[in-house]
Structure formats: C-alpha cells, structure tokens
Amino acid sequence: MHNGTTITQFIIEEQRRVAGATGDFTSLLNDIVTACKVISNMVNHGALVGVLGSAESENVQGETQKKLDVLSNEVFLQSNEWAGHLAAMASEEMDDIYPIPARYPRGKYLLTFDPLDGSSNIDVNVSVGTIFSILRRDDAATDPSERDFLQPGTRQVAAGYALYGPSTMMVLTTGNGVNGFTLDQNIGEFILTHPNMTIPTDTREFAINASNMRFWEAPVKRYVQECLDGKEGPRGEDFNMRWIASMVAEVHRILTRGGIFMYPMDSKMQAKGQGGKLRLLYEANPMSFIVEQAGGASITGTERIMDLQPESLHQRVPVILGSKNEVERVQGYHQAG
Ligand code: AHG
Ligand code: MN
Ligand code: MN
C-alpha cells in the first residue's frame, strides 16, 4: 500500500507557490500524465495488443515509423487537444505544427513532444520513453504558427519524460529542481519516489554509439580515446561504457548515478547537411532543462544547448550532456581546437 504524494498533488502544491497561477498549467500536466499512462499500457501489453512492428510509413525526417510511434502520437494529440490549455502542438511524428482544432478553446501554452523515444528498442522489449516540453505563447490574438515554437530552451516552462522500463516512471521539472515519480499500476497513479534528483558532478561512465567513431569530430575522439586508455592513459582511471539507444533511458541512468551521454556532430551527418542526430525542440531542449536542473550540463560541444535560437521545428543538434565536470572537459577539448 502506498501512502505517498501523487504527481497531481505534487503539481498542485508546487503551483500554489506561483503567484497568479490559474490552474491551467496543473491541468495541462495532468493531461500529459494521462497520455503517458495510456502509452505505458500499450507498451506493457506489446504483442498481446498488436502494437509492435512497422507502420509502413515515413515521418518528415525520412525515418520509418513504428506502429507505436504513430499510436503514441495520436494518444498525445487526443489527450491534450480538448481542454483549452494549448494553442498548438508539435511532434517528431508530424511534419507541421498541430493547431488546436477550432471546435475546442485555445490556450496560452505550446506543447512539443517525442511520443516514443528509442523506437528501435520497441520490438526487442528494451526500454523506450516519451519526452515533452511546454512553452508559453505570448501572442494569443493570431493563429499559432511554427514561429511561435522557435524559442530558446531557456524559455521552457516545464519539461519531462516518461520512461517505460521495468517500472514506468515520470521525471519532471518546472524549473525548481527535478522530481521522479513511479507508476503504481494497481492504483493507476504516479507516486513521488525520487524527490530532488541530482547528477553527481563526476563520473567514470560514458555513453556513445561507438560504431560512428570514424566520423566523430576530433575533440570527441580525443575524449573517448582517453576514457578507453583507462588507468594507463592520461585520465589515470578506468571507465565503463553503456549504450541503450534510447535517450530517455540514458538520461535516466545519468540522473540516477551520473554519466556522460554524447550524440556528437560527425562527418556523415555533416555531408548530409544535418545539424546533428537529436532534435532540438522535443529531445535536446527538454533533456537539457532536466539535466541542468539536476546540476548537470548540456552542450553542443561548444555552446550551451538551451541558449540556441531554434531555426526550424525539426532542427537537429549535437548533444553532449550529463555530469558537469566531464561535460566541461569535452567543452574544453572543443575550445582547445
Ligand atoms: P527516436 O526513436 O525518437 O527517433 O530517437 C532515437 C534517438 C535517441 O533516443 C537515441 O539516443 C538515438 O536516437 C539512438 O541512435 P542510434 O540508432 O545511433 O543508436
Ligand atoms: Mn527520440
Ligand atoms: Mn521518437
């Protein structure tokens, strides 16, 4: 039996401290929580409910969509379009923004999301997640447009992720630290289990897709080589490596025990004119907000990610995040040339 703080209670109590809060934001977060519970239920049932496998379609980024990518996107739209808190939504799985249909009232917030992160893990029953970010829209008079979404990460009102792992968790920041909640399947509520999550400043664990090594930029090659050299190398210590191929799961590990995660710029992406692998508005920015709020750092290599001025909805950026001292070391290697 749980007698803990539910996520709803936590959000309401947190909003009470904000002068002039109308309850709109609390209600929006509740709808997002509901959407994540529905996705969690689908992911848990997997093959039993026929949700695994390919949807035989492509998204705007030319990636083959999985059935769960498409279904999770629909769940998010349905759960969040009706209540009147949002003006528009944007997602990895939709080419353009989704203005709230005229049959519903429109509100002052914007929602971006990656409905299913780590899609390549779905069919093999490895952890996946959902990432979201909430922005405010200042101009309520005109129809929402893509331009409304092009705000730097520093202007996020809230960000979070749901992790569908051995247990389902929700990790959330509203700019006042990071808190983690675990879904109690029996009562259908997220309960506060990880208050005030913080990332250890130092780490001996790194995460990177090493199959891209020959394409990496020089500072990243140098950093990883020094980790691999271990005790005998310039760092004088052995390092451990992990790669789950699901950013949500990697960030969650880093929030739990520290670490550094890198999806850096590489020559293969450069040749294709791509700015990186991960998307700024619904992957890099929300994760950077969470990581910074937990005491970590998040950069492209040279710049703080949350300071970037977005140029387009599906813009990609290099991401290096996690334990502060290691991220700063990689930044130093970039500055050294
Ligand atoms: P998505 O499934 O939403 O497209 O995102 C996958 C991302 C990220 O979660 C993960 O870190 C990375 O892509 C995995 O990349 P590799 O396929 O290179 O391992
Ligand atoms: Mn993703
Ligand atoms: Mn995705």
Side-chain angles (χ1 to χ4, degrees):
M1 268 292 284
H2 253 300
N3 205 7
T5 306
T6 66
I7 196 165
T8 312
Q9 182 184 351
F10 181 88
I11 297 163
I12 289 174
E13 289 181 348
E14 197 166 73
Q15 284 305 292
R16 268 193 204 134
R17 293 201 296 265
V18 179
T22 58
D24 245 28
F25 177 73
T26 303
S27 176
L28 167 60
L29 272 175
N30 256 324
D31 293 341
I32 293 170
V33 166
T34 302
C36 292
K37 283 190 216 170
V38 174
I39 297 170
S40 173
N41 193 46
M42 289 195 300
V43 169
N44 287 164
H45 285 86
L48 294 173
V49 290
V51 296
L52 303 187
S54 168
E56 315 278 334
S57 54
E58 272 191 3
N59 67 12
V60 65
Q61 356 229 347
E63 299 163 339
T64 307
Q65 291 174 304
K66 299 278 186 180
K67 280 186 200 163
L68 267 173
D69 286 322
V70 177
L71 289 169
S72 310
N73 191 62
E74 281 165 12
V75 167
F76 246 72
L77 295 181
Q78 272 174 25
S79 303
N80 290 295
E81 68 179 354
W82 59 274
H85 314 307
L86 292 173
M89 296 184 244
S91 149
E92 177 186 348
E93 306 303 338
M94 298 185 294
D95 302 10
D96 301 315
I97 69 158
Y98 180 88
I100 296 303
R103 63 181 181 280
Y104 299 118
R106 276 185 184 163
K108 59 176 181 266
Y109 292 108
L110 301 168
L111 177 63
T112 71
F113 53 93
D114 174 355
L116 219 282
D117 175 65
S119 302
S120 70
N121 286 333
I122 296 169
D123 297 343
V124 291
N125 201 13
V126 172
S127 295
V128 289
T130 298
I131 310 170
F132 64 89
S133 160
I134 300 173
L135 296 162
R136 200 173 273 112
R137 182 169 182 256
D138 299 326
D139 166 22
T142 55
D143 279 342
S145 69
E146 173 170 340
R147 218 180 32 213
D148 294 322
F149 285 87
L150 305 183
Q151 305 182 30
T154 47
R155 290 182 58 190
Q156 291 172 101
V157 176
Y161 63 77
L163 171 62
Y164 314 114
S167 48
T168 290
M169 286 194 66
M170 172 79 74
V171 171
L172 193 65
T173 185
T174 55
N176 183 28
V178 179
N179 290 281
F181 304 81
T182 305
L183 181 60
D184 183 331
Q185 308 271 6
N186 292 326
I187 59 171
E189 289 276 10
F190 281 100
I191 306 291
L192 179 64
T193 47
H194 295 58
N196 276 320
M197 298 177 86
T198 52
I199 300 175
T201 320
D202 290 294
T203 182
R204 293 291 166 263
E205 193 163 68
F206 66 99
I208 193 162
N209 183 343
S211 69
N212 295 322
M213 187 177 288
R214 67 190 187 282
F215 305 113
W216 294 339
E217 47 187 8
V220 170
K221 270 189 188 151
R222 173 182 169 193
Y223 176 78
V224 172
Q225 190 56 54
E226 290 180 0
C227 293
L228 296 175
D229 289 342
K231 269 205 174 74
E232 292 74 34
R235 303 294 305 271
E237 277 183 281
D238 287 339
F239 281 72
N240 189 27
M241 200 208 79
R242 287 285 183 275
W243 186 250
I244 308 174
S246 167
M247 190 195 202
V248 170
E250 317 272 8
V251 168
H252 192 70
R253 185 187 60 250
I254 289 170
L255 278 167
T256 309
R257 67 178 191 212
I260 181 168
F261 165 89
M262 290 171 281
Y263 217 117
M265 195 54 193
D266 72 32
S267 56
K268 204 167 55 170
M269 299 188 288
Q270 228 150 16
K272 284 194 264 176
Q274 261 178 23
K277 160 93 179 182
L278 298 167
R279 280 60 54 117
L280 177 58
L281 288 180
Y282 41 83
E283 291 177 320
N285 266 344
M287 289 312 205
S288 299
F289 193 17
I290 293 167
V291 164
E292 284 196 12
Q293 282 291 317
S298 183
I299 59 169
T300 60
T302 48
E303 288 167 286
R304 179 187 181 208
I305 287 181
M306 287 210 290
D307 282 337
L308 297 175
Q309 172 58 52
E311 282 156 16
S312 62
L313 207 55
H314 299 288
Q315 181 179 345
R316 295 172 187 259
V317 289
V319 174
I320 295 167
L321 61 76
S323 293
K324 205 169 188 160
N325 287 342
E326 292 300 301
V327 174
E328 282 173 0
R329 174 181 285 271
V330 180
Q331 188 163 24
Y333 289 2
H334 278 84
Q335 282 153 357

